[in-house]
Amino acid sequence: MFRLNYQDIHSLINDRTAAREALLRWGGSDQAIPCDVETLFDVAETTGRIVELGGKIIDWACRDAAKWADRCAVAVNVSPHQLLAGDFAAQTFDALARHNLPAERLHLEITENAMLVPTREVVEQLRLLRHAGVSLSLDDFGSGYSSLRNLQRFSFDAIKLDRCFASHAPYDYKSREILSAVAALGERLGIHIIAEGVETHEQLDLVRAAGFSHAQGFLFSHPRGQEEVLDDIARDRARREVIRKAEIIDTESFRRNWRISAEAKVIVGGFRRDAPPKAPAAADKPRRSGGSRRSGGRRPPPLDESAPSPPAG
């Protein structure tokens, strides 16, 4: 009854989808479920089944991402219990190898709660993953108790700012100042900053003006299933192919027109930019005698003798 949906993480640098976050869904529209997904995760963590469930989610996400023709990365949330299990890194490497997915295309999102008391084993698991090429993001930044301490303890590749700041930014100046401060922090540390909860163009303008590199929210896409993701990738690929062919045609047309224009200039005795101007012949030189300064030194046209003469006086 479990399945994965995916929501885009949009790059504000090149205006393209940079990654897709895997979101667990339980049941379908025609299936009755005993509780919502959040409650499911609470129960799974309480009973310890989150380690098995989390491992399956990573495996399913790697399986689906391996089929994406645009080679986008897939982002998966990781529970603190998974990191404390001891073999989390080994299970992740097995999933990558099983589906032949490069480690660079897997992004793991670590919540701040997982980093409250980072043991030596947890830090070693994260270092093994990062050394292999897996990207690590600090999720829900700003909602925990030790955000800056986490950045000091471990080197993350990205920070996901909690959605409340972008959603409140249009009417709360403090939220806008926090957006700018976090973006500046990411730039100083050399890591990507992702704004969550972007749902309107006004929020996007504020996030972009603050200096964020990525954004995520309903403005870009809603969570959707694997089949819909594959359809979107196919449509986007076809659209880009049309644009590419149009650009090639425009380039060839420009080159062809330029070549024809150059050949025409040669045929009609065109000019070269570096050639000195041709001196006028003696017969073409204007005569200095007669005429006025206003007429350029030329003689006025001869009078027509048949024309009537003006009246006297």
Side-chain angles (χ1 to χ4, degrees), residues 249-265:
I249 293 174
D250 290 343
T251 301
E252 292 297 329
S253 176
F254 171 78
R255 290 176 177 174
R256 183 170 59 253
N257 293 336
W258 182 86
R259 186 168 56 250
I260 293 174
S261 176
E263 293 174 353
K265 289 179 180 179

Side-chain angles (χ1 to χ4, degrees), residues 161-222:
L161 187 64
D162 190 75
R163 62 183 300 111
C164 67
F165 298 102
S167 60
H168 294 170
Y171 53 85
D172 180 24
Y173 83 95
K174 291 183 180 180
S175 296
R176 294 193 294 272
E177 293 298 329
I178 292 175
L179 288 178
S180 300
V182 174
L185 177 64
E187 184 178 1
R188 292 289 185 89
L189 296 178
I191 57 181
H192 295 295
I193 306 295
I194 305 170
E196 294 184 291
V198 178
E199 300 180 356
T200 66
H201 288 283
E202 184 180 7
Q203 295 171 359
L204 175 60
D205 292 339
L206 293 173
V207 166
R208 194 188 298 272
F212 278 70
S213 59
H214 295 76
Q216 182 180 12
F218 291 157
L219 180 63
F220 304 103
S221 75
H222 287 258

Side-chain angles (χ1 to χ4, degrees), residues 217-257:
F218 291 157
L219 180 63
F220 304 103
S221 75
H222 287 258
R224 58 207 189 281
Q226 170 73 348
E227 294 300 323
E228 190 174 351
V229 169
L230 294 177
D231 291 341
D232 290 344
I233 293 174
R235 283 193 295 268
D236 184 69
R237 194 173 186 181
R239 181 180 63 84
R240 293 185 181 277
E241 182 65 17
V242 170
I243 294 175
R244 187 185 68 85
K245 290 182 178 180
E247 291 175 348
I248 292 176
I249 293 174
D250 290 343
T251 301
E252 292 297 329
S253 176
F254 171 78
R255 290 176 177 174
R256 183 170 59 253
N257 293 336

Side-chain angles (χ1 to χ4, degrees), residues 86-156:
D87 59 347
F88 174 70
Q91 291 183 358
T92 303
F93 292 145
D94 289 343
L96 291 171
R98 186 179 305 114
H99 302 290
N100 196 26
L101 185 73
E104 293 77 12
R105 293 184 57 194
L106 177 61
H107 295 181
L108 297 180
E109 298 184 356
I110 315 298
T111 61
E112 288 190 323
N113 293 333
M115 302 298 295
L116 286 178
V117 187
T119 64
R120 181 177 301 178
E121 290 76 11
V122 170
V123 173
E124 184 62 24
Q125 296 278 316
L126 296 178
R127 286 178 177 171
L128 286 174
L129 291 165
R130 196 166 186 266
H131 181 73
V134 177
S135 296
L136 301 179
S137 302
L138 184 60
D139 197 15
D140 297 332
F141 183 79
S143 62
Y145 298 99
S146 56
S147 300
L148 296 178
R149 180 61 175 160
N150 289 332
L151 296 179
Q152 186 184 41
R153 287 172 176 171
F154 193 81
S155 297
F156 288 93

